[in-house]
Short mmCIF file of all heavy atoms in Angstrom, two decimals:
data_model
loop_
_atom_site.label_atom_id
_atom_site.label_comp_id
_atom_site.label_asym_id
_atom_site.label_seq_id
_atom_site.Cartn_x
_atom_site.Cartn_y
_atom_site.Cartn_z
N VAL A 321 -5.10 -3.56 -4.14
CA VAL A 321 -4.39 -4.34 -3.12
C VAL A 321 -4.34 -5.76 -3.64
O VAL A 321 -5.41 -6.39 -3.75
CB VAL A 321 -4.97 -4.25 -1.72
CG1 VAL A 321 -4.06 -4.91 -0.70
CG2 VAL A 321 -5.23 -2.74 -1.35
N THR A 322 -3.13 -6.34 -3.86
CA THR A 322 -3.00 -7.64 -4.41
C THR A 322 -2.13 -8.51 -3.51
O THR A 322 -1.29 -8.05 -2.69
CB THR A 322 -2.42 -7.64 -5.82
OG1 THR A 322 -1.21 -6.88 -5.80
CG2 THR A 322 -3.39 -6.99 -6.83
N MET A 323 -2.21 -9.74 -3.72
CA MET A 323 -1.47 -10.80 -2.93
C MET A 323 -0.36 -11.38 -3.73
O MET A 323 -0.39 -11.53 -4.96
CB MET A 323 -2.35 -11.96 -2.56
CG MET A 323 -1.66 -13.05 -1.70
SD MET A 323 -0.85 -14.37 -2.70
CE MET A 323 -2.24 -15.46 -3.08
N ARG A 324 0.83 -11.53 -3.04
CA ARG A 324 2.01 -12.18 -3.62
C ARG A 324 2.47 -13.36 -2.79
O ARG A 324 2.39 -13.29 -1.45
CB ARG A 324 3.15 -11.16 -3.77
CG ARG A 324 2.83 -10.07 -4.76
CD ARG A 324 3.96 -9.16 -4.95
NE ARG A 324 3.63 -8.19 -5.98
CZ ARG A 324 4.50 -7.25 -6.39
NH1 ARG A 324 5.64 -7.10 -5.75
NH2 ARG A 324 4.19 -6.37 -7.31
N GLU A 325 2.75 -14.47 -3.37
CA GLU A 325 3.19 -15.64 -2.70
C GLU A 325 4.64 -15.93 -3.03
O GLU A 325 5.03 -15.82 -4.19
CB GLU A 325 2.32 -16.84 -3.05
CG GLU A 325 2.61 -18.05 -2.25
CD GLU A 325 1.55 -19.17 -2.54
OE1 GLU A 325 0.98 -19.18 -3.60
OE2 GLU A 325 1.43 -20.09 -1.71
N HIS A 326 5.42 -16.31 -2.03
CA HIS A 326 6.89 -16.56 -2.13
C HIS A 326 7.28 -17.80 -1.44
O HIS A 326 6.61 -18.26 -0.43
CB HIS A 326 7.65 -15.42 -1.53
CG HIS A 326 7.07 -14.09 -1.70
ND1 HIS A 326 7.45 -13.29 -2.82
CD2 HIS A 326 6.23 -13.29 -1.02
CE1 HIS A 326 6.86 -12.09 -2.84
NE2 HIS A 326 6.06 -12.10 -1.81
N PRO A 327 8.34 -18.52 -1.93
CA PRO A 327 8.84 -19.69 -1.17
C PRO A 327 9.33 -19.17 0.24
O PRO A 327 9.99 -18.21 0.33
CB PRO A 327 9.97 -20.15 -2.09
CG PRO A 327 9.79 -19.57 -3.45
CD PRO A 327 9.08 -18.26 -3.18
N HIS A 328 9.06 -19.90 1.16
CA HIS A 328 9.47 -19.62 2.53
C HIS A 328 11.03 -19.77 2.62
O HIS A 328 11.60 -20.84 2.18
CB HIS A 328 8.80 -20.57 3.59
CG HIS A 328 8.89 -19.98 4.94
ND1 HIS A 328 9.99 -19.84 5.69
CD2 HIS A 328 7.84 -19.45 5.74
CE1 HIS A 328 9.69 -19.36 6.84
NE2 HIS A 328 8.46 -19.08 6.94
N PRO A 329 11.75 -18.78 3.13
CA PRO A 329 13.18 -18.83 3.04
C PRO A 329 13.74 -19.88 4.03
O PRO A 329 14.96 -20.33 3.84
CB PRO A 329 13.63 -17.37 3.53
CG PRO A 329 12.53 -16.91 4.35
CD PRO A 329 11.28 -17.48 3.71
N SER A 330 13.00 -20.31 5.04
CA SER A 330 13.63 -21.30 6.01
C SER A 330 12.78 -22.50 6.27
O SER A 330 13.08 -23.34 7.16
CB SER A 330 13.94 -20.58 7.25
OG SER A 330 12.88 -19.90 7.76
N ARG A 331 11.68 -22.62 5.60
CA ARG A 331 10.72 -23.77 5.82
C ARG A 331 10.51 -24.50 4.52
O ARG A 331 9.75 -24.06 3.65
CB ARG A 331 9.37 -23.24 6.37
CG ARG A 331 9.51 -22.38 7.52
CD ARG A 331 9.50 -23.00 8.90
NE ARG A 331 9.66 -22.12 9.97
CZ ARG A 331 9.12 -22.27 11.18
NH1 ARG A 331 8.52 -23.43 11.44
NH2 ARG A 331 9.29 -21.37 12.18
N ALA A 332 11.26 -25.57 4.31
CA ALA A 332 11.16 -26.29 3.06
C ALA A 332 9.76 -26.69 2.76
O ALA A 332 9.01 -27.21 3.58
CB ALA A 332 12.12 -27.46 3.08
N GLY A 333 9.33 -26.41 1.50
CA GLY A 333 7.98 -26.80 1.02
C GLY A 333 6.90 -25.83 1.49
O GLY A 333 5.73 -26.01 1.07
N ARG A 334 7.20 -24.78 2.30
CA ARG A 334 6.16 -23.88 2.65
C ARG A 334 6.35 -22.56 1.93
O ARG A 334 7.41 -22.30 1.30
CB ARG A 334 6.37 -23.55 4.20
CG ARG A 334 6.17 -24.81 5.09
CD ARG A 334 4.70 -25.29 5.13
NE ARG A 334 3.73 -24.31 5.63
CZ ARG A 334 3.18 -24.45 6.85
NH1 ARG A 334 3.43 -25.45 7.64
NH2 ARG A 334 2.27 -23.53 7.22
N THR A 335 5.31 -21.73 1.89
CA THR A 335 5.34 -20.52 1.29
C THR A 335 4.91 -19.38 2.34
O THR A 335 4.31 -19.78 3.37
CB THR A 335 4.39 -20.41 0.10
OG1 THR A 335 3.05 -20.68 0.56
CG2 THR A 335 4.79 -21.42 -0.99
N TYR A 336 5.15 -18.15 2.04
CA TYR A 336 4.60 -17.05 2.81
C TYR A 336 4.02 -16.05 1.82
O TYR A 336 4.40 -16.02 0.61
CB TYR A 336 5.61 -16.45 3.74
CG TYR A 336 6.67 -15.65 3.05
CD1 TYR A 336 6.57 -14.15 2.97
CD2 TYR A 336 7.82 -16.18 2.40
CE1 TYR A 336 7.56 -13.44 2.33
CE2 TYR A 336 8.75 -15.39 1.77
CZ TYR A 336 8.65 -14.08 1.72
OH TYR A 336 9.62 -13.29 1.09
N THR A 337 3.21 -15.19 2.34
CA THR A 337 2.54 -14.19 1.42
C THR A 337 2.79 -12.79 1.86
O THR A 337 3.02 -12.54 3.10
CB THR A 337 1.03 -14.46 1.42
OG1 THR A 337 0.53 -14.47 2.78
CG2 THR A 337 0.63 -15.72 0.66
N THR A 338 2.76 -11.85 0.87
CA THR A 338 2.85 -10.38 1.16
C THR A 338 1.77 -9.69 0.43
O THR A 338 1.04 -10.30 -0.38
CB THR A 338 4.26 -9.87 0.79
OG1 THR A 338 4.45 -10.09 -0.57
CG2 THR A 338 5.39 -10.54 1.58
N THR A 339 1.64 -8.43 0.71
CA THR A 339 0.60 -7.57 0.12
C THR A 339 1.20 -6.50 -0.67
O THR A 339 2.13 -5.84 -0.14
CB THR A 339 -0.36 -7.02 1.19
OG1 THR A 339 -0.67 -8.01 2.20
CG2 THR A 339 -1.59 -6.48 0.65
N TRP A 340 0.75 -6.29 -1.89
CA TRP A 340 1.22 -5.21 -2.65
C TRP A 340 0.17 -4.20 -2.92
O TRP A 340 -0.95 -4.59 -3.07
CB TRP A 340 1.82 -5.67 -4.03
CG TRP A 340 2.50 -4.68 -4.80
CD1 TRP A 340 1.99 -3.91 -5.86
CD2 TRP A 340 3.81 -4.21 -4.56
NE1 TRP A 340 2.94 -3.01 -6.25
CE2 TRP A 340 4.05 -3.17 -5.49
CE3 TRP A 340 4.80 -4.59 -3.60
CZ2 TRP A 340 5.34 -2.51 -5.57
CZ3 TRP A 340 6.04 -3.90 -3.69
CH2 TRP A 340 6.22 -2.93 -4.62
N PHE A 341 0.59 -2.90 -2.93
CA PHE A 341 -0.38 -1.80 -3.07
C PHE A 341 -0.02 -0.90 -4.23
O PHE A 341 1.19 -0.63 -4.48
CB PHE A 341 -0.36 -0.92 -1.81
CG PHE A 341 -0.93 -1.54 -0.54
CD1 PHE A 341 -0.14 -2.53 0.14
CD2 PHE A 341 -2.12 -1.14 -0.02
CE1 PHE A 341 -0.64 -3.09 1.27
CE2 PHE A 341 -2.64 -1.73 1.14
CZ PHE A 341 -1.86 -2.63 1.83
N ASP A 342 -1.05 -0.51 -5.01
CA ASP A 342 -0.88 0.51 -6.01
C ASP A 342 -2.03 1.50 -5.80
O ASP A 342 -3.18 1.06 -5.59
CB ASP A 342 -0.94 -0.06 -7.39
CG ASP A 342 0.13 -0.87 -7.80
OD1 ASP A 342 1.12 -0.29 -8.33
OD2 ASP A 342 0.18 -2.11 -7.65
N MET A 343 -1.77 2.78 -5.77
CA MET A 343 -2.73 3.82 -5.68
C MET A 343 -2.70 4.79 -6.89
O MET A 343 -1.61 5.23 -7.24
CB MET A 343 -2.50 4.62 -4.35
CG MET A 343 -3.59 5.61 -4.12
SD MET A 343 -3.40 6.31 -2.39
CE MET A 343 -1.97 7.43 -2.56
N PHE A 344 -3.84 5.03 -7.45
CA PHE A 344 -4.02 5.93 -8.61
C PHE A 344 -4.90 7.02 -8.28
O PHE A 344 -5.84 6.92 -7.50
CB PHE A 344 -4.55 5.08 -9.75
CG PHE A 344 -3.76 3.98 -10.22
CD1 PHE A 344 -3.90 2.69 -9.71
CD2 PHE A 344 -2.83 4.15 -11.26
CE1 PHE A 344 -3.15 1.60 -10.19
CE2 PHE A 344 -2.07 3.08 -11.75
CZ PHE A 344 -2.26 1.81 -11.21
N ARG A 345 -4.61 8.18 -8.85
CA ARG A 345 -5.54 9.29 -8.93
C ARG A 345 -6.12 9.41 -10.26
O ARG A 345 -5.45 9.38 -11.29
CB ARG A 345 -4.80 10.60 -8.48
CG ARG A 345 -5.74 11.77 -8.40
CD ARG A 345 -5.09 12.98 -7.62
NE ARG A 345 -3.98 13.55 -8.30
CZ ARG A 345 -4.00 14.46 -9.23
NH1 ARG A 345 -5.19 14.99 -9.51
NH2 ARG A 345 -2.94 14.92 -9.81
N VAL A 346 -7.50 9.54 -10.28
CA VAL A 346 -8.19 9.54 -11.55
C VAL A 346 -8.92 10.92 -11.64
O VAL A 346 -9.58 11.41 -10.77
CB VAL A 346 -9.26 8.39 -11.61
CG1 VAL A 346 -10.05 8.52 -12.95
CG2 VAL A 346 -8.58 7.10 -11.39
N VAL A 347 -8.70 11.57 -12.82
CA VAL A 347 -9.38 12.89 -13.12
C VAL A 347 -10.03 12.75 -14.49
O VAL A 347 -9.27 12.47 -15.44
CB VAL A 347 -8.42 14.07 -12.99
CG1 VAL A 347 -9.07 15.34 -13.43
CG2 VAL A 347 -7.87 14.14 -11.52
N ASP A 348 -11.34 13.03 -14.51
CA ASP A 348 -12.01 13.10 -15.84
C ASP A 348 -11.74 11.85 -16.70
O ASP A 348 -11.53 11.83 -17.86
CB ASP A 348 -11.64 14.30 -16.66
CG ASP A 348 -12.01 15.63 -15.90
OD1 ASP A 348 -13.00 15.60 -15.21
OD2 ASP A 348 -11.30 16.63 -16.17
N GLY A 349 -11.80 10.65 -15.98
CA GLY A 349 -11.69 9.39 -16.72
C GLY A 349 -10.25 9.08 -17.19
O GLY A 349 -10.14 8.21 -18.09
N ARG A 350 -9.25 9.68 -16.58
CA ARG A 350 -7.93 9.45 -17.00
C ARG A 350 -7.05 9.23 -15.77
O ARG A 350 -7.22 9.82 -14.71
CB ARG A 350 -7.22 10.63 -17.73
CG ARG A 350 -8.15 11.22 -18.87
CD ARG A 350 -8.08 10.34 -20.11
NE ARG A 350 -6.85 10.49 -20.78
CZ ARG A 350 -6.52 9.82 -21.94
NH1 ARG A 350 -7.37 9.02 -22.42
NH2 ARG A 350 -5.37 10.03 -22.48
N LEU A 351 -6.07 8.28 -15.90
CA LEU A 351 -5.09 8.14 -14.84
C LEU A 351 -4.11 9.25 -14.88
O LEU A 351 -3.43 9.46 -15.91
CB LEU A 351 -4.37 6.78 -15.05
CG LEU A 351 -5.31 5.50 -15.10
CD1 LEU A 351 -4.32 4.33 -15.25
CD2 LEU A 351 -6.05 5.40 -13.83
N VAL A 352 -3.93 9.98 -13.77
CA VAL A 352 -3.03 11.07 -13.77
C VAL A 352 -1.95 10.97 -12.70
O VAL A 352 -0.97 11.81 -12.72
CB VAL A 352 -3.86 12.46 -13.52
CG1 VAL A 352 -4.86 12.67 -14.55
CG2 VAL A 352 -4.46 12.41 -12.13
N GLU A 353 -1.96 10.01 -11.83
CA GLU A 353 -0.94 9.86 -10.82
C GLU A 353 -0.92 8.51 -10.25
O GLU A 353 -1.91 7.82 -10.14
CB GLU A 353 -1.22 10.89 -9.65
CG GLU A 353 -0.05 11.31 -8.91
CD GLU A 353 -0.15 12.58 -8.05
OE1 GLU A 353 -1.30 13.16 -8.13
OE2 GLU A 353 0.73 12.96 -7.39
N HIS A 354 0.30 8.02 -9.82
CA HIS A 354 0.41 6.68 -9.26
C HIS A 354 1.46 6.61 -8.14
O HIS A 354 2.47 7.23 -8.25
CB HIS A 354 0.80 5.69 -10.42
CG HIS A 354 1.22 4.38 -9.93
ND1 HIS A 354 2.58 3.91 -9.88
CD2 HIS A 354 0.49 3.35 -9.47
CE1 HIS A 354 2.55 2.70 -9.40
NE2 HIS A 354 1.38 2.33 -9.08
N TRP A 355 1.08 5.89 -7.15
CA TRP A 355 2.10 5.61 -6.08
C TRP A 355 2.12 4.08 -5.80
O TRP A 355 1.10 3.39 -6.02
CB TRP A 355 1.56 6.25 -4.75
CG TRP A 355 1.45 7.68 -4.64
CD1 TRP A 355 2.20 8.57 -4.06
CD2 TRP A 355 0.25 8.43 -5.10
NE1 TRP A 355 1.73 9.84 -4.09
CE2 TRP A 355 0.58 9.76 -4.76
CE3 TRP A 355 -0.84 8.13 -5.85
CZ2 TRP A 355 -0.35 10.85 -5.08
CZ3 TRP A 355 -1.75 9.18 -6.19
CH2 TRP A 355 -1.52 10.42 -5.85
N ASP A 356 3.25 3.57 -5.42
CA ASP A 356 3.37 2.19 -4.90
C ASP A 356 4.45 2.16 -3.88
O ASP A 356 4.96 3.16 -3.47
CB ASP A 356 3.58 1.15 -5.99
CG ASP A 356 4.90 1.40 -6.77
OD1 ASP A 356 5.78 2.09 -6.28
OD2 ASP A 356 5.04 0.78 -7.91
N ALA A 357 4.74 0.97 -3.40
CA ALA A 357 5.71 0.87 -2.21
C ALA A 357 6.99 0.31 -2.71
O ALA A 357 7.78 -0.26 -2.00
CB ALA A 357 5.11 -0.13 -1.23
N ALA A 358 7.36 0.60 -3.97
CA ALA A 358 8.60 0.03 -4.54
C ALA A 358 9.88 0.60 -3.85
O ALA A 358 9.90 1.82 -3.44
CB ALA A 358 8.66 0.40 -6.01
N ALA A 359 10.86 -0.20 -3.75
CA ALA A 359 12.27 0.20 -3.31
C ALA A 359 13.00 0.57 -4.57
O ALA A 359 12.91 -0.06 -5.57
CB ALA A 359 12.96 -0.93 -2.63
N LYS A 360 13.79 1.57 -4.43
CA LYS A 360 14.59 2.05 -5.57
C LYS A 360 15.75 1.09 -5.80
O LYS A 360 16.42 0.61 -4.88
CB LYS A 360 15.22 3.39 -5.41
CG LYS A 360 15.90 4.02 -6.52
CD LYS A 360 16.25 5.44 -6.26
CE LYS A 360 16.92 6.06 -7.53
NZ LYS A 360 17.22 7.52 -7.23
N THR A 361 15.99 0.65 -7.03
CA THR A 361 17.01 -0.25 -7.42
C THR A 361 18.21 0.44 -7.95
O THR A 361 18.06 1.57 -8.40
CB THR A 361 16.55 -1.20 -8.55
OG1 THR A 361 16.10 -0.53 -9.67
CG2 THR A 361 15.38 -2.10 -7.99
N ALA A 362 19.35 -0.08 -7.78
CA ALA A 362 20.61 0.52 -8.18
C ALA A 362 20.70 0.55 -9.68
O ALA A 362 20.24 -0.32 -10.42
CB ALA A 362 21.80 -0.23 -7.66
N ALA A 363 21.24 1.71 -10.20
CA ALA A 363 21.40 1.80 -11.61
C ALA A 363 22.55 0.82 -12.11
O ALA A 363 23.46 0.53 -11.40
CB ALA A 363 21.87 3.21 -11.99
N PRO A 364 22.40 0.29 -13.38
CA PRO A 364 23.42 -0.60 -13.84
C PRO A 364 24.79 0.07 -13.81
O PRO A 364 24.88 1.21 -14.11
CB PRO A 364 22.91 -0.91 -15.24
CG PRO A 364 21.44 -0.59 -15.25
CD PRO A 364 21.28 0.48 -14.27
N ALA A 365 25.79 -0.69 -13.48
CA ALA A 365 27.09 -0.21 -13.49
C ALA A 365 27.60 0.13 -14.84
O ALA A 365 27.37 -0.63 -15.84
CB ALA A 365 28.06 -1.21 -12.86
N LYS A 366 28.22 1.27 -15.03
CA LYS A 366 28.77 1.65 -16.29
C LYS A 366 30.07 0.84 -16.64
O LYS A 366 30.85 0.66 -15.77
CB LYS A 366 29.10 3.14 -16.33
CG LYS A 366 27.87 4.04 -16.17
CD LYS A 366 28.26 5.55 -16.21
CE LYS A 366 27.01 6.44 -16.20
NZ LYS A 366 27.44 7.86 -16.18
N PRO A 367 30.24 0.45 -17.87
CA PRO A 367 31.47 -0.34 -18.24
C PRO A 367 32.65 0.52 -18.13
O PRO A 367 32.67 1.77 -18.29
CB PRO A 367 31.19 -0.75 -19.74
CG PRO A 367 30.14 0.23 -20.16
CD PRO A 367 29.32 0.62 -19.02
N ALA A 368 33.75 -0.10 -17.63
CA ALA A 368 35.01 0.68 -17.48
C ALA A 368 35.59 1.01 -18.79
O ALA A 368 35.41 0.38 -19.78
CB ALA A 368 35.94 -0.16 -16.68
#
Side-chain angles (χ1 to χ4, degrees):
V321 186
T322 53
M323 181 272 276
R324 293 180 175 182
E325 187 173 22
H326 317 270
H328 200 291
S330 55
R331 312 270 182 151
R334 297 293 295 254
T335 61
Y336 72 98
T337 52
T338 59
T339 314
W340 189 259
F341 292 74
D342 289 272
M343 183 170 74
F344 297 87
R345 185 162 64 88
V346 181
V347 175
D348 296 331
R350 312 282 287 179
L351 303 179
V352 299
E353 201 162 4
H354 170 254
W355 300 255
D356 63 18
K360 188 173 183 179
T361 56
K366 295 182 179 180

